[in-house]
Amino acid sequence: MQKIKNAVKERKALLAEKKEISFWNIPKAKELNVKIAELTEDIEELKSEKAVLLNQLDCADDAGIAAIKKDIAYAEAGLFKLEQQEEKYSSKLKAGLSEYAENRTSQRELEQKKQQKHKTTQKQKHRHSEQEQ
């Protein structure tokens, strides 16, 4: 919309300038005509793009755009909140995984100690039984 407004203002200024120049100043008139034609074409392209966008957004006119902007702002706020929650829970998950890994390591060490103790006990029993025979 702003591009269209700016182009229309510029085109009006060029038309006013063209009216002010002398009839005999043909090169300046041609230059202004070229610029005016380019701006007119740009305005038509922008209006066409606007119509396509309005159609894609299911808006009959510019009034529907305000509602869409509101929806977008609401969606962006929701996305921001979700990103914050993801960050929070990611750090909690990392901490939990780290704690799990530490506990798993401790558990393995305890199992190894139990196995070592069991082996030691078995060896002592075996020696004791050999001595009795």
Side-chain angles (χ1 to χ4, degrees):
M1 285 302 298
Q2 192 60 41
K3 287 181 182 179
I4 292 172
K5 287 179 184 179
N6 291 340
V8 168
K9 283 181 186 178
E10 188 177 348
R11 184 174 177 271
K12 283 182 183 179
L14 290 174
L15 286 170
E17 186 181 341
K18 183 180 172 188
K19 286 182 182 180
E20 297 293 322
I21 64 169
S22 163
F23 175 75
W24 302 107
N25 195 349
I26 296 173
K28 183 69 174 179
K30 282 186 177 182
E31 179 186 330
L32 290 174
N33 283 336
V34 168
K35 288 181 181 178
I36 291 169
E38 288 173 355
L39 281 172
T40 303
E41 187 177 318
D42 290 346
I43 291 168
E44 291 305 316
E45 286 178 15
L46 289 169
K47 286 181 179 179
S48 176
E49 287 178 26
K50 177 185 168 188
V52 168
L53 288 172
L54 288 173
N55 187 33
Q56 287 176 345
L57 298 171
D58 292 329
C59 296
D61 56 14
D62 295 341
I65 297 294
I68 289 174
K69 284 182 180 181
K70 190 179 197 181
D71 291 344
I72 289 171
Y74 179 74
E76 286 175 343
L79 179 61
F80 179 73
K81 185 176 179 180
L82 288 173
E83 287 171 346
Q84 287 180 325
Q85 288 177 343
E86 179 186 23
E87 214 174 280
K88 174 184 171 184
Y89 293 122
S90 287
S91 64
K92 285 186 176 185
L93 177 62
K94 285 178 185 178
L97 289 173
S98 177
E99 186 179 335
Y100 173 78
E102 289 174 17
N103 289 339
R104 188 80 171 134
T105 302
S106 297
Q107 182 182 9
R108 284 186 190 137
E109 290 172 358
L110 284 174
E111 287 178 11
Q112 287 174 350
K113 287 179 183 178
K114 283 182 183 179
Q115 287 175 354
Q116 188 65 30
K117 188 176 182 181
H118 181 70
K119 286 180 184 178
T120 305
T121 305
Q122 291 296 339
K123 285 181 183 179
Q124 288 174 351
K125 284 183 182 178
H126 182 66
R127 285 184 196 153
H128 183 63
S129 76
E130 283 180 356
Q131 287 176 353
E132 289 179 355
Q133 291 178 356

